[in-house]
């Protein structure tokens, strides 16, 4: 995502408060856009549908269905997203761009038909609704799986402006269709999001096909062991598993959850605060983009240029120090801005919940969730820096830690009782962030040694 | 790790019931980049020695750079070659890089060793022996430690900070790696080599170092023969090497007038290799007095040095002599590999000058062209640009007995030579020679001792890189049949009297017998 740094730089160089605000606003939109827009539009469909007379029960079922499909498709494609991004980067670096498009179709084919193959039997055997509804669920899942792939691909192409604009159009379309079809209740709403996501998938694809040359239709080189990194696949899958595992646990433990539709269950006490909390990481994400993708990325590039182009060891060390400084600054800035967000949430959280009509019983869970997701931004920043250093093994260790501790601690909080809910996730993400910091610091200390002595 | 190639099956490795293993050969010849894969003067000489001394058995140990650089063997081994090994110094390590702490103790000892090596003239024999004996073994520096360990990294960076005067760390780093990585391969060869009675290195450099290691580890005699002076040749290579960047720019030219640090490092490295070989070898043989003096100047103990000159089988060339036409053919022949050290370009320019006076003059370049393709191209382009298409021929490798009768003059424009066999071959087949004043060329053409000189000049000695002078000397001989005939007779007489191969064989017979027969001295008095 180095390209974004440049754009943000341009805005920042105008050097006034308005431009700083704009830069961070833009960065926030770019980094948080996809999920904020999707959460907001799903919520909006729900609210508007209720106003149009759709039963609350149906709307709940709709929101749960979409949440599950999001979670499922993210976990299903997370590994491939990372592995393929790296594949594309390598091909582009090797000036082998013609390889990219056929392989993108290969990835889409694999994730979408693969997703169909396992989701179809699952949906048809566990959902009792009409065939049409089962089909809608299946289509939604398959389309979402494809969409994540093209979305990450497009991010790799730095086409942020287009992404945001297309997302806005796609979700507007989804809301419109959903509301028009709201007389069919759940099915109508599902048709709405399907149309929206389908539009996104195809217009993203349209953009990619126009930009990339291709010499054949389908290729599966990204599976080639010598060219790909299966450890990245593991990292992507583990990361999304880690992010969702606590939710799944709360959904499927009987006394924290209730059945909603088919096999899908929801946890009213757990879900609302956490999804609400996720809206409050936007400031951190914006800072993340500016400080890591712009400042750190630039220092990183300078360090490796110093190594390659024959600088003195002293200068290489100086560049290393500058890079470490940029990383530290970035993490510190995220810490500051998310810290401030947490403080504001602590101050006004109660009135916020009141305003949007959520029971104040949720307040403590909301507090801890805001802290947890703020730390999650830090964790993402640390992982991203490790990715820059190509520390694949280390990233795998941290994500594995995140997954395992989230699983264990969440189960433990269930034993400890309601007042500890949310702490499992929070402690897990904090622990993983500390582990990441520790590893990062170790990595930085040995950076020149590893760069010179351990290259293959 | 190392390739033990076909030919090894010839070696009867007789393993008896106990751990006593019969030697596979009397003498292990340590050959760096020559016999049997590369044709040339040294290779011919090696083949000649093996064939001429059938009473000894030989193991041929070839050390090359990379496998891809060499084709198939160019010589048919005589039956007394009983063991063959082929090794490459620049192979990729099969070990996957992984971080390790590394054993710091031997690196500390290495620092002391390096410090001693920096003092001119001093040789830390005890430390050196220790270091090489333990290389790649427990307690010493292992290859993995050298390549991947933190201890090694700390050592390299500290040395860089203390000494390197050039800016590029990445260049320094890779120079150090490239310099030392072959030492581990050599240690491996030394460990794996089946028993032999003595080793004979045909150069210093890596072959000489292997000889020194063998002597230190196994306490067997180590004979060293140098044709050229390895260190000097490496200096010439390095001075021309474009893969080393000297960081001299226009601004600080006056500050860095001398050669770059890394270039100097390589030269000192090769000098050290030479000194280590000289310290362990006995006798240290050179081809002529000039080189012997040079060896002494480079650190060889004078009492260990001796001269054994090259010789050829004069009888073999009688046919070529008889086949000569009555007229003097206006053909200049340069016999040698097409490489910069032979300065082929000066030969081409000489021909250009000559053709002005003698439009019928021809130039033949006879020798393999596979060693330095870019230089070959440069030469061909030069010939073309000088309009010598009808006068110059690149003939590749040829049968000398057929080429020699067709030559009017043998020309050597080399900037470095030892005792070139082609001059002797030319003399024996009645061809006078023009050669630059390098190596023993003057001794060959003009004679050394008084009696020798009395035979007369067998051609002319010319300056290095002097096409005009060379062309003038050529013209004088070609246009003056009386002078040419006198030179021919002087050459014939000189080669018969002083450079007959029987003289050389009996000298080496004596060297080998002494090495194999005399009770062995302990390598070092501990």
């Amino acid at each position: 995502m180095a390209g974004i740094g440049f754009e943000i730089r341009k805005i920042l160089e105008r050097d006034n408060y308005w431009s700083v605000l704009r830069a961070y606003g833009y960065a926030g939109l770019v980094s948080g856009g996809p999920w904020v827009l999707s959460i907001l539009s799903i919520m909006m469909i729900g609210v508007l549908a209720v106003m149009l007379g759709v039963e609350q029960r149906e709307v709940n079922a709709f929101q749960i269905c979409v949440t599950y499909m999001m979670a499922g498709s993210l976990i299903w494609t997370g590994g491939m997203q990372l592995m393929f991004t790296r594949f594309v980067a390598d091909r582009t670096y090797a000036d082998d761009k013609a390889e990219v498009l056929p392989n993108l179709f290969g990835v889409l084919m694999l994730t979408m038909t693969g997703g169909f193959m396992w989701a179809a039997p699952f949906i048809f055997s566990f959902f009792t609704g009409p065939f049409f509804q089962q089909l809608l669920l299946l289509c939604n899942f398959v389309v979402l799986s494809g969409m994540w792939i093209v979305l990450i691909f497009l991010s790799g192409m730095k086409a942020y402006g287009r992404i945001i604009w297309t997302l806005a159009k796609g979700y507007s379309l989804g809301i419109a269709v959903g509301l028009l079809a709201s007389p069919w209740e759940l099915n109508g709403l599902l048709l709405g999001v399907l149309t929206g996501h389908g539009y996104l998938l195809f217009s993203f694809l349209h953009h990619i096909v126009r930009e990339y040359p291709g010499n054949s239709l389908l290729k599966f080189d990204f599976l080639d062991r010598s060219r790909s990194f299966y450890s990245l696949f593991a990292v992507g899958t583990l990361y999304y598993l880690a992010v969702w595992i606590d939710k799944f646990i709360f959904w499927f433990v009987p006394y924290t959850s209730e059945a909603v539709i088919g096999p899908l269950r929801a946890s009213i006490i757990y879900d609302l605060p956490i999804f609400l909390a996720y809206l409050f990481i936007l400031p951190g994400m914006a800072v993340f983009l500016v400080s890591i993708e712009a400042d750190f990325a630039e220092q990183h590039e300078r360090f490796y240029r110093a190594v390659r182009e024959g600088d003195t060891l002293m200068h290489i060390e100086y560049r290393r120090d500058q890079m470490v400084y940029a990383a530290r600054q970035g993490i510190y800035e995220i810490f500051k801005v998310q810290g401030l967000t947490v403080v504001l949430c602590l101050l006004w959280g109660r009135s916020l919940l009141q305003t949007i009509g959520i029971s104040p019983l949720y307040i403590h869970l909301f507090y801890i969730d805001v802290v947890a997701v703020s730390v999650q931004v830090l964790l993402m920043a640390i992982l991203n820096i490790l990715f820059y250093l190509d520390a694949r093994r280390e990233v795998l260790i941290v994500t594995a830690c995140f997954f395992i501790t989230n699983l264990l601690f969440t189960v433990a909080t269930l034993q400890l009782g309601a007042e500890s809910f949310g702490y499992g996730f929070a402690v897990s993400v904090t622990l993983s962030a500390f582990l990441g910091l520790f590893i990062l610091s170790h990595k930085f200390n040995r950076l020149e040694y590893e760069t010179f002595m351990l290259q293959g | 790790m190392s390739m033990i190639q076909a030919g090894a099956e010839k070696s009867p490795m007789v393993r008896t019931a106990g751990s006593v293993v019969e030697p596979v050969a009397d003498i292990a010849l340590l050959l760096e980049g020559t016999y049997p894969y590369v044709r040339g003067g040294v290779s011919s000489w090696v083949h000649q020695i093996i064939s001429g001394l059938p009473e000894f058995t030989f193991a041929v140990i070839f050390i090359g750079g990379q496998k891809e650089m060499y084709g198939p063997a160019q010589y048919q081994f005589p039956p007394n070659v009983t063991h063959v090994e082929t090794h490459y110094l620049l192979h990729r390590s099969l070990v996957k890089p992984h971080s390790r702490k590394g054993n710091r103790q031997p690196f500390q000892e290495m620092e002391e060793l390096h410090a001693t090596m920096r003092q001119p003239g001093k040789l830390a024999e005890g430390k050196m022996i220790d270091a090489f004996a333990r290389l790649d073994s427990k307690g010493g520096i292992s290859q993995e430690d050298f390549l991947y360990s933190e201890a090694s990294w700390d050592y390299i960076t500290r040395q860089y900070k203390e000494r390197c005067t050039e800016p590029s760390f990445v260049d320094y780093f890779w120079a150090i790696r490239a310099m030392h990585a072959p030492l581990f391969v050599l240690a491996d060869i030394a460990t794996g080599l089946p028993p032999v009675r003595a080793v004979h290195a045909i150069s210093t450099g890596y072959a000489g170092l292997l000889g020194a290691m063998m002597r230190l580890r196994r306490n067997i005699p180590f004979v060293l023969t140098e044709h050229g002076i390895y260190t000097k040749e490496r200096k010439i290579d390095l001075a021309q090497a474009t893969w080393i960047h000297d960081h001299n720019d226009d601004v600080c030219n006056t500050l860095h007038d001398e050669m770059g640090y890394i270039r100097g490092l390589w030269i000192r490295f090769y000098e050290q290799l030479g000194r280590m070989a000289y310290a362990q070898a006995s006798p240290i043989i050179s081809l002529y007095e000039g080189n012997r003096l040079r060896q002494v100047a480079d650190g060889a103990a004078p009492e260990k040095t001796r001269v054994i000159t090259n010789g050829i089988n004069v009888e073999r060339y009688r046919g070529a002599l008889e086949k000569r036409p009555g007229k003097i053919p206006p053909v200049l022949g340069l016999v040698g590999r097409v490489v910069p050290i032979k300065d082929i370009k000066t030969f081409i320019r000489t021909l250009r000058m000559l053709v002005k006076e003698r439009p019928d003059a021809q130039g033949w370049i006879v020798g393999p062209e596979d060693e330095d393709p870019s230089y070959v191209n440069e030469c061909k382009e030069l010939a073309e640009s000088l309009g010598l298409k009808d006068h110059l021929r690149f003939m590749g490798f040829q049968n000398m007995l057929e080429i020699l009768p067709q030559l009017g003059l043998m020309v050597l424009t080399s900037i470095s030579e030892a005792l070139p066999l082609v001059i002797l071959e030319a003399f024996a087949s009645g061809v006078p020679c023009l050669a630059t004043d390098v190596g023993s060329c003057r001794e060959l053409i003009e004679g050394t001792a008084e009696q020798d000189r009395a035979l007369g000049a067998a051609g002319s000695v010319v300056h290095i890189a002097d096409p005009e002078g060379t062309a003038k000397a050529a013209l004088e001989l070609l246009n003056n049949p009386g002078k040419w005939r006198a030179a021919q007779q002087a050459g014939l007489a000189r080669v018969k009297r002083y450079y007959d191969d029987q003289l050389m064989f009996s000298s080496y017979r004596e060297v080998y017998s002494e090495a194999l027969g005399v009770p062995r001295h302990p390598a070092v008095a501990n």
Side-chain angles (χ1 to χ4, degrees):
Chain A
M1 293 228 291
I4 191 67
F6 187 67
E7 277 181 56
I8 291 170
R9 263 297 134 73
K10 269 194 314 198
I11 307 178
L12 278 174
E13 266 161 19
R14 287 172 215 159
D15 200 26
N16 56 46
Y17 283 117
W18 172 233
S19 69
V20 171
L21 215 60
R22 263 191 53 194
Y24 280 93
Y26 180 64
L29 209 58
V30 165
S31 55
W35 54 264
V36 169
L37 281 176
S38 59
I39 291 183
L40 283 180
S41 44
I42 302 307
M43 283 180 155
M44 187 140 29
I45 291 179
V47 172
L48 292 175
V50 170
M51 284 159 68
L52 285 175
V54 181
E55 264 186 72
Q56 184 67 45
R57 202 176 53 81
E58 290 283 304
V59 171
N60 284 351
F62 161 71
Q63 284 173 343
I64 297 302
C65 286
V66 175
T67 308
Y68 271 76
M69 283 180 309
M70 291 254 180
S73 58
L74 279 172
I75 295 168
W76 168 239
T77 60
M80 198 49 89
Q81 286 180 36
L82 269 190
M83 197 165 121
F84 187 62
T85 307
R86 176 62 189 253
F87 176 83
V88 172
D90 286 348
R91 292 300 96 211
T92 311
Y93 186 75
D95 219 7
D96 203 2
K97 263 184 141 182
E99 285 285 284
V100 169
L101 195 60
N103 276 294
L104 174 68
F105 283 114
V107 173
L108 284 177
M109 173 111 167
L110 198 71
T111 47
M112 291 174 78
T113 51
F116 177 86
M117 302 279 260
W118 71 260
F122 178 80
I123 289 174
F124 286 117
S125 52
F126 288 107
F127 284 82
T128 47
F131 174 71
F132 184 61
Q133 193 178 69
Q134 295 172 327
L135 204 61
L136 272 174
L137 287 168
L138 184 57
C139 289
N140 258 308
F141 174 76
V142 172
V143 165
L144 260 179
S145 300
M147 199 201 75
W148 297 129
I149 300 284
V150 288
L151 181 62
I152 192 106
F153 185 87
L154 218 55
S155 313
M157 283 170 66
K158 343 273 187 217
Y160 306 108
R162 173 169 288 266
I163 293 176
I164 297 299
W165 182 232
T166 310
L167 279 171
K169 283 199 290 189
Y171 279 114
S172 309
L173 181 70
I175 292 171
V177 173
L179 294 181
L180 283 176
S182 61
W184 289 288
E185 308 203 296
L186 174 58
N187 294 350
L189 302 181
L190 284 174
L191 185 67
V193 279
L194 178 61
T195 318
H197 287 145
Y199 172 82
L200 290 177
L201 171 62
F202 288 108
S203 65
F204 285 154
L205 258 182
H206 173 68
H207 180 67
I208 294 167
V209 172
R210 259 198 343 202
E211 293 282 311
Y212 267 83
N215 43 19
S216 58
L217 188 60
L218 259 188
K219 273 191 184 170
F220 292 94
D221 295 339
F222 58 93
L223 295 175
D224 184 350
R225 255 184 186 289
S226 60
R227 288 171 146 195
S228 294
F229 297 102
Y230 278 80
S231 66
L232 288 179
F233 186 90
V235 166
T237 310
L238 270 176
Y239 180 75
Y240 281 114
L241 272 176
V243 168
W244 288 96
I245 188 67
D246 57 314
K247 286 107 191 151
F248 274 107
I249 290 171
F250 273 90
W251 290 338
F252 285 94
V253 170
Y255 75 91
T256 57
S257 65
E258 58 190 60
V260 178
I261 172 172
L264 308 187
R265 307 171 62 87
S267 170
I268 296 175
I269 40 170
Y270 198 70
D271 294 352
L272 258 178
I274 187 91
F275 291 124
L276 200 57
Y278 269 120
L279 290 177
F280 288 93
I281 65 171
L282 255 191
M285 291 297 283
V287 173
F288 168 86
L289 201 69
V290 174
S291 58
I292 305 296
E293 296 293 353
D295 298 343
F296 173 78
E298 187 186 334
Q299 295 301 333
H300 170 266
E301 164 61 24
R302 284 189 185 183
F303 170 76
Y304 282 101
R305 207 165 51 215
V307 169
R308 277 195 312 271
E309 293 177 3
D311 258 319
T312 61
L313 182 59
M314 295 59 133
H315 194 247
I316 291 171
E317 284 170 351
Y318 168 75
R319 293 263 61 116
R320 196 271 319 260
D321 291 344
Q322 289 300 106
M323 180 167 72
V324 173
Y325 179 75
R328 191 185 295 141
Q329 279 298 309
I331 291 168
Y332 187 52
E333 299 265 311
I334 294 171
F335 190 81
K336 273 197 299 195
V337 72
Q338 274 313 125
L340 196 65
T341 312
V342 168
V343 170
L344 292 179
C345 282
L346 290 178
L347 278 176
W348 290 324
R350 212 171 275 276
S351 21
L352 182 83
L353 292 194
Q354 228 160 27
T355 317
I356 54 175
I358 295 173
S359 161
L361 288 174
Y362 292 125
I363 193 69
H364 289 288
L365 190 49
F366 174 69
Y367 287 157
I368 189 65
D369 279 342
V370 170
V371 172
V373 296
S374 298
V375 180
Q376 200 188 329
V377 181
L378 274 182
L379 178 63
M380 282 162 68
I382 292 161
L383 289 177
N384 202 35
I385 293 170
L386 285 170
F387 271 129
Y388 266 102
L389 304 179
D390 200 25
R392 296 187 298 274
R393 203 170 55 94
E394 287 81 353
V395 171
L396 185 60
I397 291 170
V398 176
T399 40
C401 161
F402 184 22
F403 172 67
I404 293 166
T405 53
N406 197 9
L407 176 75
L408 292 179
F409 295 166
T410 303
V411 170
T413 58
L414 285 172
Q415 309 297 319
L416 290 172
E419 57 273 24
S420 71
F421 288 173
Y423 280 87
F425 176 58
V427 173
S428 160
V429 72
T430 310
L431 199 73
S432 308
F434 272 116
L435 178 68
L437 267 184
F438 177 75
I439 288 179
L440 185 62
S441 146
H442 183 64
K443 190 91 189 160
F444 272 138
N445 282 336
R446 294 154 48 94
L447 195 60
E448 297 99 307
Y449 161 68
E450 291 189 358
T451 307
F452 280 96
M453 296 290 280
L454 302 183
Q455 44 190 306
Chain B
M1 223 171 158
S2 325
M3 278 275 308
I4 297 183
Q5 278 213 332
E9 72 267 18
K10 277 186 195 167
S11 59
M13 291 245 300
V14 188
R15 282 175 196 277
T16 48
S19 60
V20 185
V21 182
E22 281 294 307
V24 293
D26 298 325
I27 314 286
L29 294 173
L30 310 179
L31 302 153
E32 185 178 329
T34 55
Y35 190 80
Y37 292 102
V38 178
R39 283 198 174 272
V42 176
S43 295
S44 313
W45 179 88
V46 172
H47 194 71
Q48 197 185 358
I49 286 283
I50 299 174
S51 315
L53 298 172
E55 66 267 44
F56 298 101
T57 55
F58 290 91
V60 169
I61 313 298
F62 174 83
I63 306 166
Q66 279 165 306
K67 194 170 171 23
E68 302 77 49
M69 289 158 60
Y70 308 95
Q74 303 284 320
Y75 295 84
Q76 182 93 41
F77 291 123
N80 55 329
V81 171
T82 51
H83 181 80
V84 179
E85 285 184 22
T86 304
H87 299 277
Y88 301 100
L89 296 179
L90 304 175
H91 65 86
R92 274 186 166 277
S93 172
L94 297 176
V95 192
K96 229 183 135 195
H98 55 277
S99 80
R100 51 197 288 129
K101 289 252 174 276
N103 187 354
R104 279 176 195 271
Q105 183 62 29
F107 281 98
Q108 224 150 44
E109 289 162 16
M110 194 52 62
E111 180 152 27
E112 290 165 32
L113 180 62
H114 281 154
T116 338
M117 290 201 303
R118 263 179 227 113
Q119 297 168 14
K122 264 204 182 166
L123 197 68
E125 187 154 353
K127 281 183 195 134
M128 192 88 75
I129 290 162
D130 210 44
F132 277 106
R134 291 191 313 181
L135 201 62
D136 217 6
S137 66
K138 256 204 169 123
I141 296 177
S142 72
Q143 185 171 18
E144 291 188 339
D145 267 8
F146 168 67
L147 289 177
Y148 309 127
S149 77
E150 288 171 35
S152 168
W153 168 252
D154 290 345
Y155 187 73
I156 293 172
T157 49
R158 200 167 65 241
Q159 294 298 321
Y160 169 84
K161 283 178 184 166
E162 279 173 20
R163 315 201 174 273
C164 187
T165 54
E166 270 185 67
S168 173
F169 177 69
V170 76
D171 288 349
Y172 175 82
F173 179 79
W174 285 107
I176 297 296
R177 284 211 158 191
M179 220 173 264
H180 292 81
L183 304 185
F184 296 93
V185 183
L186 290 178
D188 259 9
I189 302 173
T191 311
L193 196 73
V196 289
R197 291 203 171 86
V199 287
H200 181 186
I202 316 300
S203 66
T204 55
Y206 295 107
L209 182 63
L210 178 59
M213 278 189 198
M214 294 289 293
R215 163 145 173 87
L216 292 172
R217 289 185 178 199
R218 302 195 185 175
N219 199 13
I220 53 176
F222 166 32
V223 178
L224 173 66
T225 298
E226 275 197 286
H227 283 238
I229 295 294
Y230 185 95
T231 318
K232 191 178 119 208
E233 285 169 12
R234 289 294 83 72
K235 278 183 192 169
I236 294 171
D237 287 348
L238 286 165
Q240 296 172 339
T242 47
W243 51 268
I244 302 175
H245 318 284
D246 288 328
H247 287 260
N248 299 352
D249 52 27
D250 295 335
V251 183
C252 58
N253 231 352
T254 45
L255 291 175
H256 297 275
D257 227 7
E258 73 277 29
M259 106 181 67
Y261 180 81
I262 290 171
R263 231 179 260 273
L265 200 64
W266 276 105
I267 288 175
R268 289 199 300 282
F269 173 72
Y270 284 120
E271 283 172 353
Q272 283 302 329
L273 289 190
R275 276 161 66 182
M276 288 184 223
Y278 290 151
Q280 300 303 324
S282 179
I284 300 166
I285 301 163
S286 52
L287 296 182
Y288 59 98
E289 184 60 17
N291 268 4
R292 191 189 72 82
L293 293 174
R294 193 159 179 128
Q295 288 173 331
V296 172
D298 285 349
E303 66 276 12
K304 294 202 292 184
T305 58
R306 65 179 285 191
V307 172
I308 299 179
T309 182
N310 271 352
I312 59 166
N313 182 349
V314 179
E315 275 307 295
R316 229 181 122 224
Y317 296 87
R318 184 190 289 277
L321 178 63
E322 283 163 359
K323 262 202 273 177
R324 291 200 69 79
K327 265 184 65 186
I328 305 166
V331 180
L332 270 56
L334 187 151
V335 179
R337 298 162 295 138
V338 183
V339 291
I341 206 165
K342 300 282 178 192
D343 198 3
I344 307 291
K345 288 177 183 173
T346 292
F347 178 74
I348 296 170
R349 293 196 179 98
T350 301
L351 188 65
R352 174 68 265 172
M353 303 269 179
L354 187 63
V355 166
K356 274 190 212 153
E357 308 291 326
R358 283 283 300 254
D360 59 339
Q362 292 282 316
W364 294 358
I365 295 167
V366 182
E369 298 173 13
D370 42 10
E371 198 171 312
D372 190 343
S374 69
Y375 185 72
V376 174
N377 265 341
E378 284 171 29
C379 288
K380 290 187 173 167
E381 277 164 21
L382 177 68
E384 188 136 341
S385 71
L386 292 179
L388 290 171
K389 237 166 108 187
D390 301 327
H391 297 278
L392 188 70
R393 289 169 65 189
F394 286 85
M395 303 175 76
F397 183 76
Q398 295 285 333
N399 181 356
M400 285 298 284
L401 291 178
E402 278 168 27
I403 291 292
L404 283 166
Q406 303 176 53
L407 299 183
L409 282 173
M410 173 70 78
V411 180
L412 246 76
T413 47
S414 308
I415 50 177
S416 175
E417 278 292 347
L419 191 151
L421 280 176
V422 289
I423 292 186
L424 300 180
E425 291 173 328
F427 286 173
S429 19
V431 187
C433 290
L434 291 182
T436 43
D437 192 5
V438 293
S440 64
C441 291
R442 187 177 286 279
E443 295 174 19
L444 290 176
I445 291 172
E446 295 176 356
T448 40
E450 202 174 321
Q451 280 179 320
D452 190 0
R453 298 182 72 84
L455 294 173
S460 284
V461 178
V462 295
H463 294 298
I464 291 177
D466 178 17
E468 208 175 333
T470 313
K472 217 173 122 194
L475 204 64
E476 215 175 295
L477 283 161
L478 289 178
N479 284 349
N480 192 343
K483 200 168 176 195
W484 190 91
R485 300 259 170 241
Q488 183 188 40
Q489 290 312 312
L492 278 167
R494 182 163 294 125
V495 72
K496 274 181 196 158
R497 190 175 305 170
Y498 296 105
Y499 298 98
D500 193 304
D501 59 0
Q502 289 312 315
L503 296 168
M504 174 176 81
F505 290 143
S506 70
S507 299
Y508 271 99
R509 192 171 287 125
E510 188 188 315
V511 167
Y512 285 160
S513 306
E514 203 172 306
L516 299 179
V518 166
R520 286 145 211 189
H521 305 289
V524 217
N526 278 329

